[in-house]
Amino acid sequence: MLQIKNLKAKIDNKEILKGLNLDIKPGEVHAIMGPNGSGKSTLSNVLSGKKGYSVSGEVKYLNENLLDLEIEERAHKGIFLAFQYPLEIPGVNTNIFLKTSLNAIKKAKGEKELDAIEFLKLVKQKAAELKFDEKILSRQLNVGFSGGEKKKNEILQMSILNPKLSILDETDSGLDIDALKTVSEGVNALRSKDSSFLIITHYQRLLDYIEPDFVHVLINGQIVKSGGSELALELESKGYESLS
Amino acid sequence: MDAREKEIEKLKDYKYGFSTDIENTRAPKGLNEEVIKFISNIKKEPKWMLDWRLKAFERLKQLKEPNWQKPKYPKIDYQDLYYYSAPKSMDDKPKSLDELDPKLLETYKKLGIPLQEQARLNGIAVDAVFDSVSVATTFKGELNKKGIIFCSMSEAIQEHPELVKKYLGSVIPLSDHYFATLNSAVFTDGSFVYIPEGVRCPMELSTYFRINATETGQFERTLIIANKGSYVSYLEGCTAPMRDENQLHAANVELIALDDAEIKYSTVQNWYPGDKDGKGGIYNFVTKRGLCKGKNSKISWTQVETGSAITWKYPSCILKGDNSVGEFYSIAITNNHQKADTGTKMIHLGKNTKSKIISKGISAGFADNTYRGLVDIARNADNARNFTQCDSLLMGNKCGAHTVPYIKNKNSSSNIEHEATTSKISDEQLFYCNQRGLNQEEAVSLIVNGFCKEVLQQLPMEFAVEAQKLVGISLEGSVG
């Protein structure tokens, strides 16, 4: 699904990613852990196409050169980024935003767009599955949402857009244990043989709920160690110091 | 690119920019007594109307063009304009839509207002004004059954002189200011609405203003009277062909609401804004004023201003009746080299009068957008209340947004609130929308529509959808 070779990224002439390699196959869940400033968020930004970075190396996504695609084209082709800090858009109803987004992606794929009634049916079903309070959907997008509501909203969007590669950027930060469970259940429900996940996190606790196939340790812009889910436990007890 | 391709490329930016090739009857060029007599004569007006016009013209000679506004413009040569231009086929007034010049029908069809179908479909009654003349008004018969008068101004002068005499100039006096007085002297056509006592107008009334002829000013005059306990919702739309020259549109609109009456007046203004370099476009210098004459009356202005090279207008409310309410909801979008200086005046005269002002200014490209407003509480206006909210949204770093609120308060029991914000669309917001599959233009349109929501909600449903699209289109190419 995703092959990253020797990925380097600079911002304001400062090199953040320094030759990163990663291979994600369909159906796999990869976790990336690392200390502050190791380049975790930069990786998610670069993969989703955020402007402002000068990027080199090779990233193949579904056999296409990912770095050549615009942000929205990547979204159309199934890349979804759950934001660490979801943005507020005043005046825009959450439902409308979701419908606009879903239909933009459907249109790009040449699929039939959903009308309001079909959409509401879908959103109701998904919200129920995620135990997500529907009332939130008629509020302005992320405006006045609590931290937990914002993150849940990201997961709801993910489940509606049904992406192929989901990147979760520190989705667990700022969540209480109940919200963490809800979010994890949402992710687990979406796991399938065709969809892959890249989960970026500081802490091991999210991985208690979402069991990864692989864990990678990102330090100073490079992956220094990879392993199975046991690696996360090891990090939790020994810290990153032991690896740097 | 050949000429046709160029034309098509241009039309992509402003789809109403075509012109209709039609033979015109014109007044001789210039502004003088003879031209005013020509206009009055061709409209077969009674003498009192001509006298009124000439009085305005006398007054005009003593007035100076105002110059305090922010957007400056090159001097207008008033002697180099045509003050009357109408399709020749309108000389012998067509009695029905079937007799109307097919070219005119075609024009309105292209503008998305199929007059013939409109006449059959339920919904909205339309008065179609083409340059200096109203070419058709639909649904007249049905409205007449309820005693509602909806016709062109010219027709009202003939058929309902008592109402016109009583109310014309009663809100915007003859000698109000330069452009209003110019309009009083040379106004050509516009709509006239009268809603009798206790009647709720069963459909939206609307006027579609179209400028077509070159070197011609459009001087529309609209008068709406809502008698006691009545209600009417009225909407105007405006477009013009793309021309390199600037064209003047100086309209006067007067609204009168008697006891317990309500008038809702919505505008979707999409005059040609000029090209990307600021060449051409309409000067939209309009005087709009409503008088809440009776107690418990209400006048609500909603405007979506996306077109024109310069928009300069302050739809206002004089709250004379006790407990009367004035509202002003505005979206002003300026892109490229467009300029706007717009806002409202809320004049509180009666007791317990209330006013609300919600203004959303959006500026992109090299544009300049000013909100200017007056809240004036008179000595006897006990317990008057005003709430004002002015929000500005900037796109890019070459445009400007200004807020100039004036408050005059002579009564200590009043309550006046003013809120203002200035914001920018952040790169992070755009990134978020892009990541959800929206391209740059869709993202901007979504965010701006969110910003304008409170105002868009005020529009009649049929027009809200169009206005939302227009908001997106007006800002195309503004981010990138």
Side-chain angles (χ1 to χ4, degrees), chain B residues 8 10-18 110-112 210 239-240 242 270 272 466 469-470 473:
Chain B
I8 289 169
K10 268 168 77 185
L11 279 175
K12 272 188 194 161
D13 295 336
Y14 182 75
K15 67 172 177 166
Y16 310 104
F18 65 91
K110 261 167 104 174
L111 295 170
R210 175 75 178 167
T239 59
M242 292 186 285
N270 189 22
Y272 178 51
E466 275 308 302
K469 275 191 217 151
L470 193 57
I473 292 166

Side-chain angles (χ1 to χ4, degrees), chain A residues 48 50 71-72 75-76 79-81 83 88-92 97 100-101 104 142 154 157, chain B residues 426-440 442 446-447 449-451 453:
Chain A
S48 50
K50 192 176 184 189
I71 309 168
E72 65 270 21
H76 298 159
I79 289 185
F80 180 90
L81 172 63
F83 279 61
E88 297 184 1
I89 306 190
V92 176
F97 178 75
T100 311
S101 163
N142 291 324
E154 294 291 288
Q157 293 181 37
Chain B
S426 74
D427 290 343
E428 290 289 329
Q429 281 176 323
L430 288 173
F431 174 50
Y432 190 59
C433 294
N434 293 153
Q435 212 298 309
R436 295 299 184 258
L438 309 187
N439 66 32
Q440 204 73 336
E442 290 164 336
L446 184 86
I447 295 169
N449 269 295
F451 175 76
K453 193 181 181 182

